[in-house]
Amino acid sequence: MIQVSHVTKRYQHSVSVVDDVSFSVREGQIFGLLGPNGAGKTTIMQMISTLLTPSSGDITIYGLNTKTDAREIRKMIGFLTSEVKLDPFSTPDKLFRFFGDLYQIDRSVAEQRKEESFERFGIEPFAKKKIIELSTGMKQKISIAISLIHNPPVIIFDEPTNGLDILTAHQVTNYLRELRADGHIVLLSTHIFSVAQDLCDELSILVDGRIVAQGTVSSLMELTGAATFENAFFDLYTRYHKE
């Protein structure tokens, strides 16, 4: 389980980017952070992934604290950011081998996982091409395959469908559903209503670094009295956004 307890992140001489945020994510659940750009979604995910340290509060993953057990936690998570950054002159084959060795995965196991991932996402025809020659969607699919090479129990994806064409986005969302069905913890951030509504079992609505509401899509609509989920979000945003 991921447990985020009263977490705040502030920088010197600035207001809090994340302000007293609490939520939990259990196994076999897709949990979403929904909010506009600048709401604090990426900062929260970077703290959960041990890339940033909270100014106050605690984050635990399966009982391990991100402040004291970062090395162990990194073995348990697959973290994919919205910015795809792959060595432009490497190839999918070489990258998969490199990260397999990095995680100390047996070569035969890594090869089997590579074949499964490459077949799933249609990477095989591009396996020996340089990354610089590939489309944004293909780079994203390669990044997903690499980030999950060690079969982590916790999946953290920041804007997983951002900038993808409709077919690639469909492949990615279907894969996230499969991961949930296999018992993984899946935490994702998005600003796309359809992704949040179709994928997430539960959501936190973030406005100006704070969680202003949390629950299922239907419970959030009921809370606001809105006829659509999109209207429910805008009602909450208008109510809580600081001008």
Side-chain angles (χ1 to χ4, degrees):
M1 174 181 280
I2 298 174
Q3 187 72 47
V4 179
S5 303
H6 301 289
V7 165
T8 294
K9 182 64 178 178
R10 67 179 66 87
Y11 296 98
Q12 193 173 12
H13 308 304
S14 73
V15 297
S16 297
V17 179
V18 174
D19 188 6
D20 194 27
V21 163
S22 297
F23 62 88
S24 60
V25 192
R26 63 182 183 275
E27 293 175 341
Q29 181 185 34
I30 297 179
F31 190 98
L33 301 176
L34 176 67
N37 292 336
K41 305 185 301 295
T42 297
T43 300
I44 290 170
M45 295 191 135
Q46 288 175 338
M47 288 190 288
I48 293 172
S49 302
T50 75
L51 299 179
L52 292 175
T53 302
S55 301
S56 62
D58 286 294
I59 302 170
T60 59
I61 299 179
Y62 287 109
L64 299 174
N65 194 294
T66 57
K67 294 177 184 176
T68 57
D69 306 305
R71 181 171 294 183
E72 289 304 309
I73 286 173
R74 287 170 189 166
K75 298 175 184 177
M76 301 166 59
I77 64 174
F79 180 43
L80 181 67
T81 69
S82 56
E83 296 182 14
V84 178
K85 292 182 179 179
L86 302 172
D87 180 354
F89 299 106
S90 188
T91 67
D93 258 347
K94 290 178 180 177
L95 285 171
F96 211 91
R97 189 177 306 115
F98 172 80
F99 281 96
D101 291 343
L102 188 68
Y103 281 106
Q104 299 180 320
I105 301 169
D106 183 89
R107 280 285 178 92
S108 61
V109 174
E111 185 64 24
Q112 181 181 353
R113 291 178 182 174
K114 185 191 81 170
E115 289 176 3
E116 292 170 355
S117 294
F118 282 20
E119 180 179 357
R120 170 187 297 278
F121 290 118
I123 299 171
E124 186 54 44
F126 308 94
K128 299 188 186 304
K129 286 186 173 290
K130 292 180 179 179
I131 298 299
I132 198 171
E133 300 172 337
L134 304 179
S135 68
T136 298
M138 185 55 63
K139 291 175 186 176
Q140 183 81 334
K141 290 190 284 189
I142 294 164
S143 295
I144 291 172
I146 289 170
S147 66
L148 302 182
I149 187 174
H150 53 308
N151 191 31
V154 180
I155 316 298
I156 302 171
F157 279 179
D158 188 11
E159 302 283 1
T161 61
N162 194 33
L164 300 184
D165 65 80
I166 191 169
L167 293 177
T168 304
H170 182 67
Q171 283 182 303
V172 171
T173 54
N174 278 347
Y175 187 43
L176 291 174
R177 291 187 182 97
E178 289 182 29
L179 291 169
R180 171 178 59 190
D182 288 340
H184 292 266
I185 293 171
V186 181
L187 173 66
L188 63 87
S189 72
T190 187
H191 63 274
I192 302 172
F193 294 112
S194 59
V195 170
Q197 190 164 5
D198 293 344
L199 270 183
C200 297
D201 302 298
E202 194 172 349
L203 292 151
S204 284
I205 307 296
L206 279 160
V207 177
D208 299 329
R210 294 182 63 88
I211 292 177
V212 300
Q214 187 169 296
T216 62
V217 168
S218 59
S219 70
L220 292 169
M221 290 170 60
E222 184 178 349
L223 173 69
T224 58
T228 67
F229 178 55
E230 187 171 340
N231 286 343
F233 171 82
F234 284 118
D235 179 86
L236 291 164
Y237 182 81
T238 302
R239 202 183 302 179
Y240 292 101
H241 174 56
K242 302 171 185 176
E243 295 293 344

